[in-house]
Amino acid sequence: MKRSAVVYSIIISVTAMLVPLSLSAQIMDSKSIVAPGAQVEKLGDGYKFTEGPVADKDGNVFFTDQPNNKIIRWDAETGKFSTFSESSGRANGMYFDNKGNLVACSDEENQVWSFDKNGKPTVLVTDYEGKLLNGPNDIWIDPKGGIYLTDPLYKRDYWKRSPEMQQDGEHVYYLSPGSKKLVRVDEKLKKPNGIIGTADGKKLYVADIGDNKTYVYDIAQDGSLTNRTLFVSKGSDGMILDEEGNLYITGDGVTVFDKKGEQIAHFPVHKGWTANLCFGGKNRDLLFITAETAVYGLKMNVKGIR
């Protein structure tokens, strides 16, 4: 989450109605990945700052209202919203593990939490080599259950700790399946933020929002990263991949790049910051977007991947 301190505002009502925006004429889509006639639609609003969307196996989307310390569930069948957790540890980026637990970067205490299906949390990560993390931000879980996370520093007004840098930099970490000890897998980024991997677990994308770049890595058998390559000269907050290997990045709306790093689409969302996104819905063909105080949807011709 990049600019939450600036854009938090209070809106008192939340609606589940679809409210079309007059943005369809501005959509750039050179490969017809958007469903014919589809528009960006407001699915709900009334939040302080939305983040961390991720879909479960049935296409229901879970996202965070970080300033209000909540995780919200959007129902893929009815389009209705409900509260999954009233005390999320200030959850930010999230991802489902192979057992159906919701794993979250809960930066209130600079930790990583896992929520069971009833919303009961368990702490997975508390530190790196005895020191607090800066503030776990975004997360991806590989097919084997290994956890990758980014740890930039965005100072929070709710921290009881010192708001200064806790580690010796802003890095990318990996937690292997069954382990309780984090390892660093990239120490050469300015401010890593968005992170996503391919369905086969062979490649990882990491956005260095501090240097306005996004890199792609090869993932080794032990979870370490090799062959870091510049993918695009553009940073991102959240990121997602579709079934064709296109990478979706956020910030000024949503920008889509194909496997070669060529821009193929751009979707304006609203006038402010677009934080994160995922594919949800019963058919995994709804691009679910979090942007400041609201969440949006765009029907797609392509589907998301697990």
Side-chain angles (χ1 to χ4, degrees):
M1 183 170 69
K2 186 181 177 186
R3 303 190 324 190
S4 57
V6 178
V7 299
Y8 289 171
S9 61
I10 299 175
I11 301 176
I12 60 174
S13 64
V14 177
T15 176
M17 298 298 292
L18 299 181
V19 183
L21 302 178
S22 57
L23 295 172
S24 58
Q26 302 176 41
I27 287 177
M28 187 280 280
D29 178 19
S30 65
K31 299 296 182 181
S32 299
I33 60 175
V34 177
Q39 301 180 37
V40 176
E41 299 175 318
K42 184 183 287 186
L43 304 177
D45 64 11
Y47 307 103
K48 276 193 174 182
F49 196 92
T50 57
E51 252 287 4
V54 64
D56 66 14
K57 61 181 180 62
D58 297 317
N60 306 304
V61 176
F62 294 70
F63 64 94
T64 75
D65 185 1
Q66 192 178 38
N68 284 323
N69 201 19
K70 293 181 179 181
I71 298 174
I72 311 297
R73 180 184 183 273
W74 173 82
D75 189 280
E77 187 73 35
T78 66
K80 293 183 178 180
F81 296 85
S82 59
T83 300
F84 175 72
S85 173
E86 292 275 4
S87 184
S88 70
R90 304 277 186 169
N92 194 343
M94 303 189 296
Y95 209 81
F96 278 98
D97 69 15
N98 296 331
K99 297 179 181 179
N101 299 309
L102 182 60
V103 182
C105 293
S106 294
D107 76 10
E108 184 171 29
E109 301 292 341
N110 309 93
Q111 298 173 342
V112 177
W113 289 12
S114 174
F115 296 86
D116 67 16
K117 294 179 181 180
N118 297 315
K120 181 181 178 181
T122 300
V123 178
L124 299 182
V125 175
T126 60
D127 62 86
Y128 174 73
E129 295 189 347
K131 294 183 179 180
L132 290 177
L133 294 168
N134 298 317
N137 185 278
D138 205 0
I139 192 168
W140 177 69
I141 301 177
D142 68 25
K144 297 183 293 186
I147 298 173
Y148 291 88
L149 64 96
T150 57
D151 186 45
L153 177 66
Y154 296 112
K155 296 179 181 180
R156 310 300 194 194
D157 58 10
Y158 49 76
W159 277 342
K160 297 175 183 178
R161 51 157 263 209
S162 164
E164 302 308 315
M165 188 87 67
Q166 301 297 297
Q167 295 291 325
D168 61 2
E170 304 175 63
H171 308 307
V172 181
Y173 295 84
Y174 177 67
L175 183 69
S176 61
S179 175
K180 295 183 179 180
K181 184 178 180 181
L182 283 178
V183 296
R184 285 182 182 167
V185 287
D186 195 331
E187 299 178 309
K188 297 181 180 180
L189 301 175
K190 288 187 177 180
K191 189 177 287 292
N193 197 312
I195 190 168
I196 194 70
T198 54
D200 59 10
K202 293 183 178 180
K203 290 190 180 294
L204 184 73
Y205 293 84
V206 178
D208 187 349
I209 202 167
D211 199 26
N212 201 29
K213 292 180 173 62
T214 296
Y215 296 96
V216 60
Y217 306 75
D218 292 328
I219 301 176
Q221 280 294 110
D222 63 357
S224 61
L225 303 178
T226 62
N227 301 324
R228 184 176 82 170
T229 303
L230 179 65
F231 183 68
V232 292
S233 293
K234 191 174 180 67
S236 183
D237 198 336
M239 301 194 297
I240 199 70
L241 290 161
D242 68 22
E243 62 186 352
E244 296 183 355
N246 300 314
L247 181 72
Y248 298 61
I249 70 176
T250 58
D252 176 18
V254 177
T255 308
V256 188
F257 297 88
D258 66 15
K259 291 180 179 179
K260 297 179 180 179
E262 299 293 328
Q263 182 175 332
I264 61 170
H266 181 262
F267 315 139
V269 177
H270 74 152
K271 292 182 180 180
W273 184 254
T274 299
N276 214 328
L277 73 177
C278 74
F279 278 89
K282 293 185 292 183
N283 298 315
R284 289 270 187 185
D285 60 356
L286 178 72
L287 192 64
F288 190 103
I289 304 162
T290 60
E292 297 186 3
T293 61
V295 294
Y296 300 83
L298 177 63
K299 197 73 169 178
M300 303 296 291
N301 254 344
V302 292
K303 296 182 180 182
I305 57 174
R306 164 65 178 88

